[in-house]
Amino acid sequence: ATWPTGLPQFVQEGGFSESLPDQNIETPMQSGPAKSRRRFTADMRPLQVQILCTPAQVDLFETFFLTTLRGGSLPFDWVNPRTQVAATYRFRRPPPSYAVVGGVNVMITMRLERIPG
């Protein structure tokens, strides 16, 4: 699936954050410092984004999320907001949330994870 062209292609400036992947796992030892090792080599980066939508775009988003992506369980292709490079993403918990702003417009907040390709 691909991010629908009818939805905003750019995220809100103040509503974007991207984190480096947490690749380490620590194991406590009986004495001394904990042992640390790399958990995985995949570069799965968490993102939080917000998009500002009209009521019609909210309907399109819900169809994309609930039907096309089967409740957000399937991956989709979109352009990374920071690098502008195409990538594959999936939704993370909690599910997207809505906040009404400016009368009829809706701010959709969602957590995503970039899947290495």
Side-chain angles (χ1 to χ4, degrees):
T2 302
W3 185 258
T5 56
L7 289 176
Q9 299 301 307
F10 298 98
V11 300
Q12 293 294 296
E13 185 176 327
F16 170 79
S17 66
E18 180 179 12
S19 303
L20 292 173
D22 181 7
Q23 295 183 333
N24 292 326
I25 187 167
E26 290 187 351
T27 305
M29 298 289 109
Q30 205 165 20
S31 63
K35 297 279 185 184
S36 180
R37 65 180 171 84
R38 194 172 192 179
R39 182 184 325 186
F40 50 81
T41 58
D43 187 17
M44 298 169 30
R45 292 180 180 232
L47 291 88
Q48 181 160 327
V49 299
Q50 291 182 320
I51 56 172
L52 184 61
C53 296
T54 65
Q57 288 174 320
V58 172
D59 292 341
L60 178 59
F61 177 81
E62 284 190 2
T63 300
F64 177 65
F65 182 82
L66 295 172
T67 305
T68 306
L69 300 182
R70 297 184 185 161
S73 65
L74 298 176
F76 64 96
D77 295 328
W78 197 19
V79 174
N80 182 290
R82 180 179 57 83
T83 64
Q84 296 301 303
V85 174
T88 301
Y89 295 92
R90 66 179 175 173
F91 283 93
R92 302 298 297 163
R93 289 192 175 146
S97 61
Y98 301 151
V100 176
V101 294
V104 297
N105 292 323
V106 173
M107 186 73 70
I108 300 176
T109 301
M110 55 193 138
R111 291 186 58 212
L112 305 173
E113 183 173 62
R114 188 183 80 195
I115 301 171

